[in-house]
């Protein structure tokens, strides 16, 4: 059973709001030096923006890995996003997983700060495609 237009719009708006709220947290986490948390927030902001786009376009969202696959399939391979943007999204997911699950990996200022602006740019590009 598919979503009604109203349900789809509501979910898209919730995902968009979540992405924007997480982006608003980034500067505070940076000031506190919470690099592992910041790495996760960068990924999750992007994930929620991607989910909004997938939901809007009626593509199934089932998992984090599935969202990456669907993003590549429907938006990178079609040229709406560059291969570099697709690789960047995948990189964010990998870094988030390492930060969350690896006892030997710690994100640092040097590994995390360069990701902030590209994440904002990617999310802004995604949000512009939302109706």
């Amino acid at each position: 059973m598919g979503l009604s237009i109203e349900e789809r719009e509501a979910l898209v708006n919730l995902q968009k709001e979540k992405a924007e709220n997480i982006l608003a947290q980034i500067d505070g986490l940076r000031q506190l030096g919470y690099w592992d948390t910041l790495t996760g927030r960068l990924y999750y902001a992007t994930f929620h923006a991607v989910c909004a786009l997938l939901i809007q376009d009626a593509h199934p969202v089932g998992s984090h890995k599935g969202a990456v696959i669907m993003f590549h399939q429907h938006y990178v391979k079609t040229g709406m996003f560059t291969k570099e943007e697709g690789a960047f999204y995948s990189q964010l997911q990998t870094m988030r997983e390492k930060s969350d699950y690896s006892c030997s990996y710690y994100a640092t200022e040097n590994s995390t700060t360069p990701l902030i602006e590209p994440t904002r740019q990617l999310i802004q590009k995604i949000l512009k495609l939302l109706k």
Side-chain angles (χ1 to χ4, degrees), residues 26-27 30 38 42 112-121:
I26 289 173
D27 289 330
R30 184 178 184 182
L38 180 53
L42 293 171
T112 307
T113 299
L115 304 175
I116 295 172
E117 194 52 37
T119 299
R120 283 188 174 125
Q121 290 173 2

Side-chain angles (χ1 to χ4, degrees), residues 84-104:
E84 293 77 18
E85 290 167 325
F88 181 72
Y89 177 39
S90 296
Q91 175 190 0
L92 289 175
Q93 181 190 26
T94 299
M95 288 187 72
R96 191 272 308 174
E97 288 174 353
K98 286 168 48 177
S99 288
D100 284 352
Y101 302 116
S102 175
C103 295
S104 62

Side-chain angles (χ1 to χ4, degrees), residues 8 12 51-60 74-75 80 129-131:
R8 187 175 314 285
V12 168
C51 286
L53 187 59
L54 290 169
I55 293 166
Q56 172 184 273
D57 295 341
H59 300 300
H74 294 288
Y75 303 103
M80 291 179 73
L129 295 173
L130 300 176
K131 297 172 185 156

Side-chain angles (χ1 to χ4, degrees), residues 4-101:
S4 70
I5 293 171
E6 294 81 16
E7 291 169 327
R8 187 175 314 285
E9 287 175 0
L11 281 175
V12 168
N13 285 331
L14 289 171
Q15 293 285 2
K16 179 183 170 192
E17 287 174 16
K18 188 75 164 181
E20 292 170 335
N21 287 338
I22 292 170
L23 276 179
Q25 300 168 14
I26 289 173
D27 289 330
L29 292 169
R30 184 178 184 182
Q31 289 174 358
L32 293 169
Y34 293 161
W35 305 114
D36 284 324
T37 303
L38 180 53
T39 298
R41 297 289 79 195
L42 293 171
Y43 165 72
Y44 278 108
T46 308
F47 170 75
H48 287 291
V50 166
C51 286
L53 187 59
L54 290 169
I55 293 166
Q56 172 184 273
D57 295 341
H59 300 300
V61 178
S63 67
H64 290 276
K65 188 172 191 162
V68 170
I69 291 168
M70 297 298 281
F71 181 73
H72 282 270
Q73 180 180 348
H74 294 288
Y75 303 103
V76 175
K77 287 185 179 181
T78 61
M80 291 179 73
F81 289 84
T82 66
K83 289 179 183 179
E84 293 77 18
E85 290 167 325
F88 181 72
Y89 177 39
S90 296
Q91 175 190 0
L92 289 175
Q93 181 190 26
T94 299
M95 288 187 72
R96 191 272 308 174
E97 288 174 353
K98 286 168 48 177
S99 288
D100 284 352
Y101 302 116

